[in-house]
Amino acid sequence: MMMTLPEMDKIYFSKTKTYFKEVLSSYSNGNFRSATVMLYSIAICDILFKLQELRDVYNDSVAIEILDSVEKTQTSSKSKSSWEKVLIDEVRQKTQLLEIQAYSNLIHLYDDRNLSAHPAMTQDYELISPSQETTIAHIKNILNEILIKPPIFIKSIMEVLLEDLKQNANMYSDDTLTIYLRNKYFSKMTETMKIKVFKAFWKFCFKMSDNPDCMENLMSNRRGLNVLVSENPNLFAKVIREDSSYFTVDNSDDAKFALVALLSSFPCLYLTLDETVKSVMDDYINQEINAFFGAWFKFDSLQQHLEALKKLAKTHSLRIALSTSNYVIRKYKNEGYLKELIDFFINIFGDSYNYDCADHRYETFIRPILNNMSSEQFQLLISLVSKNRQIHGRNAAFSTNTEIASYATKVLPDGFKFSDYENFKFDESIIETKTTAKGKKFDVN
């Protein structure tokens, strides 16, 4: 009966897995010389397969260089097998496909392969054969150290990944980018490799604000970092905790805001930051209103975050970007607290203190939530508009009131009297149009 090894299922290439079964078959039948010769051939083929994928899929310059060197050796050398040693040495020197132990074991296998494949004999004129123990050791070493490793283990992976993000990130939505990066990169990485990439991303996003190229590509790199962390947030929180001195942030508003965006997606990371870094971030958040709106990671719950926003609204203009408002709305909606947020937005709009403030707060806080408001919330909104001259007296009032009314009529009870709110002026034809539309039916007779 042919033996099996559980790790076989992790072999990256299906061709390699098929070949590997021949090795196990030879070993199970006691053919240790054949198993050794075949195993070495598989190891070499597997390394070539990986270099070819790195070249063809990732356009990896190191892989291209090694394959070119191997091809030149094959055509120029008189020895038919000299290219194998060139391949092994260059892979060891220029990539992470072969770590020190793997390289040492492969060289040992190379020597045993030569003894098994060539007519080397003992003093008694018997062919030399590796022992059963040596053979199974070779099999397990090659399987675990080479065959199951994905081809992403190459030193220039960050260079390839960053260039990919630079060229293509803007073409994808967040969901599509997540699928793309996971399939092409992160699914092929071990935990150790992911940690290395995480540290590299952190450096490029938060510690190189004096580098124009890093700042130009900050958004695409930050999106790549988000996808990576989403694979296992607790793992990366642990990485930060164990090496907190590495995870700092430059004194740059762009870098700090990018870190706020990361922490708002993964609050567990904030808890593991060095206290000095936390202090720097807290000072920045308290000074930058857009950051404060997304800094729920500083609070025990969204309710506490919302209470902090309400308190801040008493003394602050709350002039935030529309993108910030939309981001906060998505968060509160996903967490089941959208109603409370909408109530807050309606009230701060109702407190608008001049025409410009009312215009900005409508665009930022009201328009994005019109499709999510309840009947009671529309009634409160209409009432506040009618009461505040800074809202109903501005030039944009008629058009924005008409927009509010067009949404409100979908949920307000029949017979709702807009006339009770004398300063809420709008195009009343939208009510007549909707009433007529409700009465239309197809003739079924």
Side-chain angles (χ1 to χ4, degrees):
M1 181 177 179
M2 188 179 78
M3 72 170 293
T4 59
L5 296 170
E7 294 85 354
M8 281 178 59
D9 292 336
K10 299 179 182 179
I11 293 177
Y12 186 78
F13 292 107
S14 58
K15 288 189 293 185
T16 300
K17 187 181 294 186
T18 300
Y19 298 152
F20 188 74
K21 290 178 181 178
E22 292 185 40
V23 172
L24 294 185
S25 176
S26 295
Y27 173 81
S28 299
N29 291 321
N31 301 321
F32 305 136
R33 276 192 301 270
S34 298
T36 299
V37 173
M38 185 63 181
L39 181 64
Y40 178 77
S41 297
I42 291 173
I44 296 299
C45 286
D46 190 74
I47 292 172
L48 285 172
F49 294 158
K50 287 167 182 172
L51 291 172
Q52 288 167 352
E53 179 167 312
L54 287 165
R55 177 194 64 192
D56 299 339
V57 177
Y58 303 96
N59 195 32
D60 189 280
S61 59
V62 175
I64 293 171
E65 180 184 335
I66 294 173
L67 289 170
D68 286 346
S69 179
V70 167
E71 185 176 340
K72 289 177 182 177
T73 304
Q74 286 176 322
T75 56
S76 63
S77 176
K78 294 180 180 179
S79 172
K80 293 183 179 180
S81 62
S82 61
W83 66 269
E84 298 171 8
K85 194 65 169 59
V86 171
L87 172 68
I88 295 172
D89 289 341
E90 293 220 357
V91 166
R92 171 62 195 141
Q93 294 166 10
K94 298 177 180 180
T95 80
Q96 295 176 13
L97 283 167
L98 289 177
E99 296 178 353
I100 295 175
Q101 189 63 43
Y103 175 77
S104 176
N105 288 331
L106 185 56
I107 293 301
H108 186 194
L109 174 62
Y110 171 79
D111 293 336
D112 284 351
R113 187 287 305 256
N114 286 344
L115 291 173
S116 298
H118 302 146
M121 296 186 177
T122 66
Q123 292 180 356
D124 297 324
Y125 296 99
E126 294 179 355
L127 289 174
I128 294 176
S129 176
S131 67
Q132 180 177 3
E133 291 76 13
T134 298
T135 306
I136 192 60
H138 280 317
I139 291 172
K140 290 181 177 180
N141 288 337
I142 296 302
L143 174 62
N144 291 304
E145 295 170 353
I146 297 177
L147 306 186
I148 68 174
K149 280 193 174 183
I152 208 73
F153 276 65
I154 199 94
K155 280 187 177 178
S156 62
I157 181 55
M158 272 312 295
E159 180 182 328
V160 175
L161 179 52
L162 292 174
E163 184 62 26
D164 197 347
L165 286 168
K166 179 179 179 180
Q167 298 296 328
N168 300 313
N170 291 335
M171 297 168 51
Y172 297 113
S173 66
D174 287 344
D175 289 342
T176 306
L177 183 65
T178 297
I179 295 170
Y180 174 75
L181 293 180
R182 282 179 177 170
N183 288 345
K184 189 172 181 180
Y185 297 101
F186 302 144
S187 64
K188 300 176 181 180
M189 293 183 183
T190 64
E191 186 174 289
T192 300
M193 191 62 179
K194 287 180 181 179
I195 291 171
K196 291 180 181 179
V197 173
F198 174 64
K199 285 189 169 185
F201 264 132
W202 190 284
K203 175 183 176 182
F204 292 124
C205 290
F206 310 127
K207 300 174 67 171
M208 296 186 67
S209 57
D210 58 346
N211 184 303
D213 191 53
C214 286
M215 289 297 97
E216 181 181 348
N217 299 298
L218 178 59
M219 179 59 73
S220 59
N221 292 343
R222 196 185 86 193
R223 292 180 70 198
L225 175 58
N226 261 49
V227 176
L228 174 62
V229 175
S230 70
E231 299 268 297
N232 190 348
N234 291 330
L235 166 65
F236 299 109
K238 180 182 177 184
V239 172
I240 294 175
R241 184 184 296 110
E242 293 176 349
D243 191 12
S244 59
S245 62
Y246 176 86
F247 295 96
T248 59
V249 59
D250 281 351
N251 187 26
S252 154
D253 286 351
D254 287 338
K256 291 174 186 174
F257 190 82
L259 182 52
V260 170
L262 178 70
L263 298 176
S264 67
S265 296
F266 309 102
C268 63
L269 302 185
Y270 176 74
L271 300 175
T272 60
L273 288 174
D274 180 85
E275 289 302 322
T276 302
V277 179
K278 278 187 186 177
S279 178
V280 169
M281 293 305 298
D282 289 348
D283 287 344
Y284 170 73
I285 288 166
N286 290 333
Q287 295 171 21
E288 169 51 58
I289 186 61
N290 286 280
F292 196 97
F293 261 80
W296 42 74
F297 50 84
K298 288 183 55 181
F299 302 89
D300 292 334
S301 65
L302 279 184
Q303 296 97 312
Q304 287 188 12
H305 177 244
L306 185 56
E307 289 304 313
L309 290 175
K310 290 177 181 178
K311 182 178 179 180
L312 186 64
K314 296 176 181 178
T315 59
H316 200 285
S317 65
L318 302 185
R319 204 170 185 87
I320 67 170
L322 178 59
S323 59
T324 299
S325 178
N326 287 330
Y327 186 69
V328 174
I329 290 168
R330 284 197 300 273
K331 174 67 175 181
Y332 274 72
K333 184 176 183 179
N334 291 338
E335 298 293 329
Y337 292 103
L338 184 57
K339 177 188 178 301
E340 292 81 357
L341 183 69
I342 290 176
D343 289 341
F344 170 59
F345 281 0
I346 291 173
N347 280 295
I348 59 175
F349 176 60
D351 288 337
S352 297
Y353 48 83
N354 60 39
Y355 295 160
D356 180 63
C357 173
D359 284 342
H360 176 265
R361 290 186 176 183
Y362 183 82
E363 296 295 330
T364 306
F365 298 119
I366 301 302
R367 178 170 282 150
I369 59 173
L370 287 173
N371 206 35
N372 295 285
M373 288 170 57
S374 67
S375 173
E376 292 76 14
Q377 288 170 332
F378 272 115
Q379 291 180 55
L380 173 61
L381 175 61
I382 292 168
S383 173
L384 293 175
V385 170
S386 185
K387 289 177 181 178
N388 189 337
R389 189 178 183 282
Q390 303 304 322
I391 300 177
H392 68 247
R394 72 199 206 284
N395 290 334
F398 188 81
S399 63
T400 57
N401 289 350
T402 300
E403 185 175 32
I404 291 171
S406 68
Y407 281 90
T409 53
K410 300 175 184 177
V411 296
L412 286 172
D414 291 340
F416 177 79
K417 295 183 179 180
F418 285 97
S419 58
D420 289 347
Y421 306 91
E422 60 179 346
N423 293 318
F424 187 81
K425 306 298 184 182
F426 65 99
D427 183 357
E428 296 185 12
S429 66
I430 65 169
I431 299 177
E432 298 169 3
T433 301
K434 290 182 182 295
T435 301
T436 303
K438 285 182 180 178
K440 285 185 177 180
K441 293 183 179 179
F442 284 108
D443 185 358
V444 295
N445 294 323

